């Protein structure tokens, strides 16, 4: 029996269940995109910092080379200016070499000081050049001459003195008379540089690479690539193209020599070398990939929970009237708990929409708000319908301004129609009384249900809203008419139009979301107010829905709420108290009021609210209805019972 009820409930609500699933999937996708975008930016900043630190360390080593050359050049030039004999210059070179070997920050790098001075090759140390050695043919000499007095950094080579990989910096020396006396060079070992590049680590399997000015490999995890040109390494063509165009620091997607998809970051050192950081794609975004299953699992849990609620609501509808009343009572008591987190999501999304967001982040927040709003509308429809079914929908009769209500509804309707590029016509009979007596919230709900229904089923053309006075059976009525140029209704669907959980012409309207409760709720609210609803429609041409509501004229001079509205403005100087037992709701409320320059005070219970109101004077109070202990209604009664006109006239607005 229970299985049969579940099957029937799923069949009856399959459209709503599909929409609920789709809405949660969309919400989860938007959250994933938004959070992954933030994490990507953090990863980019981190990768940039790794590159910056590595580049700074390498540059420090290169600077040490150039500083050693500068110091050596000063010493040698001074010796030449003082006329030191040629045979004594070797002692100067040897002393320089010994000094470098004693310096802690240089000795691990240093290889030798040597040069060609006045045609004589001199080296600091015991090394004897091989037969036929011609300094003028060596790269360090040729490069220094070509740079005309500037420091020249050579490409890596195998040092003849140490037998290890080294590079040199050299320059032409000029004496005090400006005479060219030869070339001085200081060579340094590459081993410390290679160790530094090899120590670069990022996202576990990321690695560093180093290329010289001619794009030959100096350091690479695969030793077989050392000394080879970048074009000899598979898939590095994209890197070469970027470096040729002086494009650095970007996330370049490549397929690495291992066949793995990677991201490459490159930067150029001052001596013309290129340092790179290459990271496997899946390691770079591993944190993002691990986040997505968590969000998906959480969304799945909430989706299953809401689907379970929808199915059980439908099952409860199939039971007896007594079971329906029990179910509706439970839902009425739980409505506060269900709506609060959804409203908090919408409110926090609004608060996050600041000028500091980029366009993509702003779109994500708009999507979150739209999706959450759609879910909230479903929950609201279901809860309202349940209250009506249980006979617990009570009207709140009060005085209200009809023309102000009409202007508010028109503003919302303009937003709905603008999204679908529809024309909107709004007209109100100026002879209607401005102040009416009735349930303003339910009148608003009736009109908005008709307008949103018209917009939903109209894809081009216009929607018209008109308010008129009409007489029927010697009684005055407010006639609300909404006309559209939409898809219309088939005659065979007329009898089912106001049935609950029904959506007529489902094949044609498959892409239109909704609970199927808008028109049934509208009809039952009209019945509850002593009114009626009827319609005319031609399939393919549009529809006209009209609601007649008894026209109860109010007395503006006795309308307490109107007097309070004229007395209280949400001015920046106003003192406002927000009462709610939910801390997140208080945060959202304070955030919205802060946008208008108003600093609101808060209370988390009815007792605290009474204490604050008794000891201080407020211009306006926002009061939550359902609170543990003393609820909002009881709190208002106790405030009104306090002695003094201030407490009787204090504006208190329901916060729900």
């Amino acid at each position: 029996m229970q299985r049969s009820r579940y099957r029937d409930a799923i069949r009856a609500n399959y459209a709503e269940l599909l929409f609920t699933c789709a809405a949660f999937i969309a919400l989860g996708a938007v959250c994933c995109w938004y959070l992954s975008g933030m994490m990507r930016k953090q990863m980019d900043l981190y990768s940039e910092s790794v590159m910056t630190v590595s580049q700074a360390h390498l540059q420090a080593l290169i600077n040490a080379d150039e500083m050693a050359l500068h110091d050596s050049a000063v010493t040698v030039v001074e010796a030449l200016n003082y006329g030191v004999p040629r045979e004594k210059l070797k002692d100067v070179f040897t002393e320089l070499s010994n000094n470098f070997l004693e310096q802690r920050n240089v000795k691990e790098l240093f290889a030798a000081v040597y040069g060609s001075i006045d045609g004589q090759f001199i080296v600091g140390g015991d090394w004897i050049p091989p037969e036929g050695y011609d300094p003028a043919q060596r790269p360090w000499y040729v490069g220094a001459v070509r740079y005309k007095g500037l420091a020249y950094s050579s490409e890596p080579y195998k040092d003849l003195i140490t037998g290890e990989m080294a590079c040199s910096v050299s320059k032409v020396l000029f004496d005090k008379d400006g005479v060219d006396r030869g070339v001085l060079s200081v060579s340094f070992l590459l081993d410390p540089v290679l160790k530094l590049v090899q120590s670069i680590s990022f996202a576990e399997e990321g690695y560093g690479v180093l290329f010289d000015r001619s794009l030959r490999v100096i350091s690479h995890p695969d030793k077989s690539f050392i000394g080879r040109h970048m074009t000899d390494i598979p898939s590095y063509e994209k890197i070469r193209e970027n470096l040729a165009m002086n494009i650095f620091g970007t996330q370049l997607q490549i397929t690495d020599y291992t066949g793995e998809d990677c991201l490459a970051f490159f930067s150029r050192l001052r001596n013309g070398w290129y340092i790179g950081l290459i990271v496997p794609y899946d390691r770079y975004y591993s944190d993002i990939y691990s986040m997505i299953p968590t969000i998906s699992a959480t969304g799945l849990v909430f989706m299953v929970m809401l689907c379970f609620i929808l199915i059980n609501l439908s099952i409860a509808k199939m039971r007896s009237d007594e079971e329906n009343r029990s179910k509706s009572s439970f839902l009425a008591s739980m409505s506060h708990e269900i709506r609060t987190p959804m409203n908090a999501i919408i409110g926090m999304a609004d608060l996050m929409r600041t000028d500091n967001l980029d366009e993509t982040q702003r779109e994500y927040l708009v999507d979150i708000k739209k999706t959450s709003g759609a879910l909230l509308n479903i929950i609201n429809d279901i809860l309202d319908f349940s209250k009506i079914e249980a006979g617990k929908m009570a009207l709140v009769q009060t005085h209200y301004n009809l023309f102000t209500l009409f202007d508010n509804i028109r503003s919302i309707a303009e937003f709905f129609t603008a999204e679908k590029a529809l024309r909107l016509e709004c007209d109100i009979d100026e002879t209607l009384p401005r102040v009416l007596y009735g349930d303003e919230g339910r009148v608003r709900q009736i009109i908005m249900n008709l307008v949103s229904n018209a917009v939903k089923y109209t894809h081009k053309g216009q929607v018209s809203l008109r308010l008129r006075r009409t007489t029927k059976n010697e009684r005055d009525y407010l006639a609300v008419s909404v006309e559209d140029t939409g898809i219309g209704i088939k005659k065979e669907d007329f009898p089912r139009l106001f049935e609950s959980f029904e959506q007529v012409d489902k094949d044609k309207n498959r892409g239109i979301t909704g609970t199927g409760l808008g028109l049934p709720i509208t009809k039952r609210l009209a019945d509850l107010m002593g009114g009626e609803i009827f319609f005319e429609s031609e399939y393919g041409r549009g529809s006209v829905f009209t609601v007649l509501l008894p026209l109860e004229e109010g007395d503006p001079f006795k309308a307490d709420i109107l007097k309070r509205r004229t007395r209280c403005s949400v001015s920046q100087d106003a003192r406002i108290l927000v009462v709610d037992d939910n801390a997140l709701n208080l945060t959202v409320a304070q955030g919205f009021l802060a946008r208008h320059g108003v600093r609101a005070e808060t209370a988390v219970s009815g007792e605290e609210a009474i204490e604050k109101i008794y000891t201080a004077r407020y211009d306006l109070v926002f009061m939550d209805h359902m609170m543990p202990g003393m609820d909002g209604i009881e709190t208002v009664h106790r405030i009104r019972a306090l002695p003094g006109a201030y407490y009787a006239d204090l504006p208190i607005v329901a916060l729900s």
Side-chain angles (χ1 to χ4, degrees), residues 245-257:
M245 294 185 292
N246 292 325
I247 299 176
F248 305 105
T250 58
Q251 292 185 14
L252 183 61
Q253 297 188 15
I254 66 169
T255 301
D256 200 12
Y257 71 100

Side-chain angles (χ1 to χ4, degrees), residues 72 75-77 79-80 84-97 110-129 133-136 138 140-141 159 161 170 173 181-187:
S72 300
T75 301
V76 173
V77 169
L80 294 175
V84 174
R86 183 177 300 178
E87 60 273 10
K88 295 293 185 180
L89 284 178
K90 182 173 179 60
D91 296 337
V92 174
F93 277 60
T94 301
E95 184 178 357
L96 286 172
S97 297
F110 179 73
V113 177
Y114 51 88
S116 178
I117 307 299
D118 295 335
Q120 177 186 3
F121 179 73
I122 305 173
V123 60
D126 300 329
W127 183 75
I128 300 176
Y133 179 81
D134 184 3
R138 301 297 295 173
W140 56 268
Y141 188 98
D159 186 57
I161 299 176
S170 56
L173 299 182
R181 302 297 296 272
V183 175
L184 178 69
S185 180
V186 180
S187 62

Side-chain angles (χ1 to χ4, degrees), residues 16-26 303 307:
E16 288 72 27
L17 293 174
L18 287 177
F19 174 73
T20 300
C21 295
F24 266 106
I25 291 173
M303 181 179 69
C307 290

Side-chain angles (χ1 to χ4, degrees), residues 60-61 63-69 71-72 96-113 186-189 192:
L61 295 178
N63 291 344
D65 299 350
E66 295 179 352
M67 185 59 67
L69 173 65
D71 294 343
S72 300
L96 286 172
S97 297
N98 293 335
N99 288 339
F100 289 138
L101 290 173
E102 293 175 358
Q103 296 181 27
R104 184 174 59 182
N105 61 331
V106 177
K107 65 180 181 179
E108 294 182 354
L109 292 169
F110 179 73
V113 177
V186 180
S187 62
F188 292 88
L189 302 176

Side-chain angles (χ1 to χ4, degrees), residues 26 77 89 122-123 134-135 210 242 245 272 300 337 339 473 505-506 549 558 592 612 639:
V77 169
L89 284 178
I122 305 173
V123 60
D134 184 3
L210 187 66
N242 272 25
M245 294 185 292
L300 180 62
E337 302 300 327
R339 286 167 168 154
N473 298 330
D505 202 4
K506 291 184 178 180
L549 300 175
K558 297 180 180 179
F592 280 126
K612 287 194 171 185
I639 293 172

Side-chain angles (χ1 to χ4, degrees), residues 619-635:
D619 299 298
L620 180 65
V621 177
F622 289 104
M623 181 73 67
D624 186 23
H625 177 198
M626 298 183 67
M627 295 186 293
M630 186 187 301
D631 65 12
I633 301 299
E634 183 181 354
T635 304

Side-chain angles (χ1 to χ4, degrees), residues 420-653:
K420 298 185 68 173
L422 301 175
R423 295 189 304 276
L424 175 67
E425 291 185 0
C426 294
D427 186 44
I428 185 171
D429 186 355
E430 294 292 334
T431 65
L432 282 168
R434 290 190 173 271
V435 180
L436 297 181
Y437 186 76
D439 191 325
E440 180 183 9
R442 297 307 173 186
V443 173
R444 179 195 305 271
Q445 186 175 0
I446 287 174
I447 299 176
M448 285 308 306
N449 278 354
L450 295 179
V451 171
S452 62
N453 206 58
V455 173
K456 185 187 300 184
Y457 293 97
T458 303
H459 304 303
K460 62 180 179 179
Q462 70 180 34
V463 173
S464 302
L465 168 63
R466 296 183 177 87
L467 271 62
R468 294 284 185 270
R469 181 202 295 262
T470 188
T471 302
K472 184 177 182 181
N473 298 330
E474 299 182 352
R475 185 174 183 181
D476 287 340
Y477 287 86
L478 171 65
V480 179
S481 296
V482 177
E483 182 178 1
D484 63 68
T485 57
I487 60 178
I489 306 167
K490 295 179 180 178
K491 288 187 177 181
E492 58 265 33
D493 291 329
F494 282 11
R496 299 188 296 114
L497 194 60
F498 295 105
E499 291 181 9
S500 305
F501 302 100
E502 279 285 345
Q503 188 182 59
V504 298
D505 202 4
K506 291 184 178 180
D507 290 337
K508 189 171 183 179
N509 301 327
R510 188 173 299 277
I512 298 178
T513 60
T515 60
L517 292 176
L519 288 178
I521 289 175
T522 301
K523 183 180 186 309
R524 300 198 184 197
L525 288 176
D527 294 340
L528 193 62
M529 294 179 178
E532 61 180 306
I533 182 172
F534 51 91
F535 69 96
E536 299 175 0
S537 182
E538 183 177 352
Y539 189 66
R541 296 179 66 88
S543 307
V544 181
F545 283 82
T546 303
V547 175
L548 299 183
L549 300 175
L551 193 61
E552 302 288 344
E553 297 189 19
D555 184 355
F557 300 100
K558 297 180 180 179
D560 183 61
I561 188 66
L562 293 182
K563 287 192 295 183
R564 293 175 190 168
R565 286 179 181 172
T566 57
R567 189 176 68 83
C568 179
S569 169
V570 188
S571 166
Q572 293 187 2
D573 297 327
R575 191 169 185 180
I576 294 177
L577 178 66
V578 182
V579 186
D580 199 307
D581 63 298
N582 187 292
L584 187 56
N585 283 349
L586 293 176
T587 300
V588 173
Q590 285 182 308
F592 280 126
L593 291 172
R595 286 185 175 180
H596 300 281
V598 178
R599 185 176 181 272
E601 300 178 34
T602 62
V604 296
S605 66
E607 291 84 354
E608 184 181 359
I610 293 175
E611 181 180 353
K612 287 194 171 185
I613 291 171
Y614 189 77
T615 57
R617 289 189 172 269
Y618 295 91
D619 299 298
L620 180 65
V621 177
F622 289 104
M623 181 73 67
D624 186 23
H625 177 198
M626 298 183 67
M627 295 186 293
M630 186 187 301
D631 65 12
I633 301 299
E634 183 181 354
T635 304
V636 172
H637 284 314
R638 294 198 181 188
I639 293 172
R640 298 297 185 215
L642 294 173
Y646 162 72
Y647 301 103
D649 294 335
L650 175 63
I652 302 177
V653 179

Side-chain angles (χ1 to χ4, degrees), residues 106-291:
V106 177
K107 65 180 181 179
E108 294 182 354
L109 292 169
F110 179 73
V113 177
Y114 51 88
S116 178
I117 307 299
D118 295 335
Q120 177 186 3
F121 179 73
I122 305 173
V123 60
D126 300 329
W127 183 75
I128 300 176
E131 186 177 352
Y133 179 81
D134 184 3
Q137 302 299 319
R138 301 297 295 173
W140 56 268
Y141 188 98
V142 175
V145 172
R146 186 170 67 247
Y147 271 54
K148 298 179 180 179
L150 299 177
Y152 165 75
S153 297
S154 73
E155 303 295 3
Y157 59 89
K158 187 174 182 179
D159 186 57
L160 296 177
I161 299 176
T162 63
E164 300 181 38
M165 290 300 296
C167 62
S168 62
V169 286
S170 56
K171 64 183 298 185
V172 176
L173 299 182
F174 297 92
D175 61 17
K176 62 182 178 180
D177 298 322
V179 177
D180 181 354
R181 302 297 296 272
V183 175
L184 178 69
S185 180
V186 180
S187 62
F188 292 88
L189 302 176
L190 277 182
D191 187 61
V193 174
L194 300 179
K195 287 181 179 179
L196 179 58
V197 175
Q198 293 164 6
S199 68
I200 297 176
S201 176
F202 188 92
E204 296 181 1
E205 297 186 15
Y207 63 89
V209 292
L210 187 66
F211 295 87
D212 63 18
R213 284 191 298 269
S214 61
L215 299 182
R216 294 192 178 278
V217 180
I218 301 175
S219 177
H220 194 281
D222 190 333
K223 305 301 181 184
S224 65
F225 290 137
I226 301 220
R228 295 168 62 183
H229 196 272
M230 181 182 286
T231 54
D232 295 335
I233 303 178
S235 74
Y236 276 22
E237 293 83 0
K238 287 185 178 180
I239 299 176
R240 182 179 60 79
E241 293 173 1
N242 272 25
L243 298 183
M245 294 185 292
N246 292 325
I247 299 176
F248 305 105
T250 58
Q251 292 185 14
L252 183 61
Q253 297 188 15
I254 66 169
T255 301
D256 200 12
Y257 71 100
T258 59
E260 191 171 14
D261 292 334
C262 293
L263 293 175
F265 307 83
F266 271 81
S267 182
R268 183 165 58 190
L269 300 174
R270 198 169 68 184
N271 66 348
W273 292 0
Y274 300 94
I275 179 176
L277 172 63
I278 298 177
V279 188
Y281 194 90
D282 57 347
R283 305 296 188 277
Y284 188 82
Y285 292 120
S286 59
D287 289 341
I288 297 177
Y289 295 151
S290 62
M291 172 201 69

